[in-house]
Short mmCIF file of all heavy atoms in Angstrom, two decimals:
data_model
loop_
_atom_site.label_atom_id
_atom_site.label_comp_id
_atom_site.label_asym_id
_atom_site.label_seq_id
_atom_site.Cartn_x
_atom_site.Cartn_y
_atom_site.Cartn_z
N VAL A 93 -21.07 73.51 25.74
CA VAL A 93 -22.33 72.98 25.78
C VAL A 93 -22.47 71.88 24.61
O VAL A 93 -23.04 70.83 24.83
CB VAL A 93 -23.44 74.08 25.63
CG1 VAL A 93 -24.74 73.36 25.30
CG2 VAL A 93 -23.51 74.91 26.89
N PHE A 94 -22.06 72.28 23.39
CA PHE A 94 -22.18 71.35 22.32
C PHE A 94 -21.33 70.09 22.57
O PHE A 94 -21.86 68.98 22.23
CB PHE A 94 -21.60 72.03 21.00
CG PHE A 94 -22.52 73.12 20.52
CD1 PHE A 94 -21.90 74.27 20.10
CD2 PHE A 94 -23.84 72.94 20.50
CE1 PHE A 94 -22.74 75.31 19.57
CE2 PHE A 94 -24.73 74.07 20.05
CZ PHE A 94 -24.14 75.22 19.63
N ALA A 95 -20.20 70.24 23.06
CA ALA A 95 -19.38 69.03 23.40
C ALA A 95 -20.07 68.10 24.43
O ALA A 95 -19.99 66.86 24.31
CB ALA A 95 -17.97 69.49 23.98
N ALA A 96 -20.80 68.75 25.49
CA ALA A 96 -21.40 67.96 26.47
C ALA A 96 -22.67 67.41 25.97
O ALA A 96 -22.97 66.14 26.20
CB ALA A 96 -21.68 68.90 27.68
N ALA A 97 -23.46 68.13 25.20
CA ALA A 97 -24.75 67.68 24.74
C ALA A 97 -24.58 66.57 23.69
O ALA A 97 -25.36 65.63 23.56
CB ALA A 97 -25.51 68.82 24.15
N LEU A 98 -23.45 66.67 22.95
CA LEU A 98 -23.22 65.54 21.96
C LEU A 98 -23.08 64.24 22.57
O LEU A 98 -23.60 63.23 21.94
CB LEU A 98 -21.92 65.91 21.26
CG LEU A 98 -21.46 64.87 20.24
CD1 LEU A 98 -22.39 64.98 19.00
CD2 LEU A 98 -20.06 65.27 19.62
N LEU A 99 -22.73 64.03 23.81
CA LEU A 99 -22.57 62.73 24.52
C LEU A 99 -23.88 62.22 24.92
O LEU A 99 -24.03 60.96 25.16
CB LEU A 99 -21.55 62.88 25.69
CG LEU A 99 -20.22 63.20 25.31
CD1 LEU A 99 -19.34 63.37 26.59
CD2 LEU A 99 -19.51 62.26 24.33
N THR A 100 -24.85 63.06 25.06
CA THR A 100 -26.16 62.55 25.75
C THR A 100 -27.34 62.76 24.82
O THR A 100 -28.47 62.34 25.10
CB THR A 100 -26.43 63.40 27.03
OG1 THR A 100 -26.32 64.74 26.78
CG2 THR A 100 -25.38 62.94 28.01
N SER A 101 -27.11 63.43 23.60
CA SER A 101 -28.31 63.78 22.81
C SER A 101 -28.95 62.61 22.19
O SER A 101 -30.22 62.65 21.99
CB SER A 101 -27.95 64.82 21.78
OG SER A 101 -26.90 64.24 20.88
N SER A 102 -28.29 61.55 21.91
CA SER A 102 -28.90 60.37 21.18
C SER A 102 -29.75 59.51 22.13
O SER A 102 -30.61 58.80 21.71
CB SER A 102 -27.74 59.48 20.52
OG SER A 102 -26.84 59.14 21.49
N SER A 103 -29.36 59.55 23.35
CA SER A 103 -30.08 58.79 24.40
C SER A 103 -30.69 57.42 23.95
O SER A 103 -29.97 56.64 23.33
CB SER A 103 -31.23 59.62 25.13
OG SER A 103 -30.73 59.98 26.38
N VAL A 104 -31.93 57.16 24.10
CA VAL A 104 -32.53 55.88 23.81
C VAL A 104 -33.62 55.96 22.87
O VAL A 104 -34.31 54.99 22.57
CB VAL A 104 -32.97 55.09 25.02
CG1 VAL A 104 -31.77 54.72 25.95
CG2 VAL A 104 -33.98 55.84 25.79
N GLY A 105 -33.84 57.21 22.35
CA GLY A 105 -34.77 57.38 21.19
C GLY A 105 -36.23 57.15 21.45
O GLY A 105 -36.72 57.59 22.56
N GLU A 106 -36.94 56.67 20.40
CA GLU A 106 -38.39 56.64 20.44
C GLU A 106 -38.99 55.77 21.54
O GLU A 106 -40.06 56.15 22.05
CB GLU A 106 -38.85 56.17 19.14
CG GLU A 106 -38.51 57.04 17.96
CD GLU A 106 -39.05 56.58 16.62
OE1 GLU A 106 -39.65 55.50 16.62
OE2 GLU A 106 -38.75 57.15 15.56
N LYS A 107 -38.39 54.70 21.90
CA LYS A 107 -38.92 53.88 22.90
C LYS A 107 -39.05 54.63 24.25
O LYS A 107 -40.08 54.53 24.93
CB LYS A 107 -38.12 52.60 23.15
CG LYS A 107 -38.74 51.70 24.26
CD LYS A 107 -37.93 50.41 24.34
CE LYS A 107 -38.63 49.47 25.30
NZ LYS A 107 -37.97 48.17 25.46
N LEU A 108 -38.02 55.35 24.63
CA LEU A 108 -38.06 56.05 25.85
C LEU A 108 -39.11 57.14 25.79
O LEU A 108 -39.89 57.35 26.73
CB LEU A 108 -36.73 56.69 26.20
CG LEU A 108 -36.55 57.56 27.44
CD1 LEU A 108 -36.95 56.78 28.65
CD2 LEU A 108 -35.23 58.16 27.52
N ASP A 109 -39.19 57.78 24.63
CA ASP A 109 -40.33 58.87 24.51
C ASP A 109 -41.64 58.22 24.70
O ASP A 109 -42.51 58.82 25.30
CB ASP A 109 -40.09 59.47 23.09
CG ASP A 109 -38.90 60.34 23.09
OD1 ASP A 109 -38.31 60.59 24.09
OD2 ASP A 109 -38.50 60.72 21.93
N ALA A 110 -41.83 56.95 24.14
CA ALA A 110 -43.22 56.38 24.25
C ALA A 110 -43.44 55.91 25.59
O ALA A 110 -44.61 56.19 26.07
CB ALA A 110 -43.18 55.12 23.36
N LEU A 111 -42.47 55.47 26.36
CA LEU A 111 -42.70 55.12 27.79
C LEU A 111 -42.98 56.40 28.57
O LEU A 111 -43.90 56.35 29.45
CB LEU A 111 -41.37 54.42 28.31
CG LEU A 111 -41.15 52.98 27.89
CD1 LEU A 111 -39.74 52.61 28.26
CD2 LEU A 111 -42.23 52.05 28.41
N ARG A 112 -42.35 57.43 28.33
CA ARG A 112 -42.65 58.67 29.06
C ARG A 112 -43.99 59.20 28.84
O ARG A 112 -44.66 59.74 29.63
CB ARG A 112 -41.48 59.64 28.88
CG ARG A 112 -40.25 59.32 29.57
CD ARG A 112 -39.17 60.43 29.55
NE ARG A 112 -38.52 60.57 28.24
CZ ARG A 112 -37.26 61.07 28.17
NH1 ARG A 112 -36.63 61.44 29.16
NH2 ARG A 112 -36.71 61.10 26.98
N ASP A 113 -44.37 59.15 27.50
CA ASP A 113 -45.77 59.53 27.17
C ASP A 113 -46.78 58.83 27.86
O ASP A 113 -47.92 59.28 28.18
CB ASP A 113 -45.93 59.50 25.67
CG ASP A 113 -45.11 60.60 24.82
OD1 ASP A 113 -44.66 61.50 25.52
OD2 ASP A 113 -44.80 60.35 23.66
N ALA A 114 -46.48 57.57 28.13
CA ALA A 114 -47.54 56.68 28.83
C ALA A 114 -47.41 56.69 30.32
O ALA A 114 -48.07 55.98 31.02
CB ALA A 114 -47.31 55.13 28.40
N GLY A 115 -46.47 57.53 30.80
CA GLY A 115 -46.35 57.68 32.27
C GLY A 115 -45.33 56.84 32.92
O GLY A 115 -45.69 55.98 33.90
#
Side-chain angles (χ1 to χ4, degrees):
V93 168
F94 291 136
L98 179 62
L99 297 179
T100 53
S101 60
S102 58
S103 251
V104 295
E106 294 181 0
K107 180 174 182 178
L108 178 57
D109 291 347
L111 287 171
R112 286 191 283 206
D113 289 342

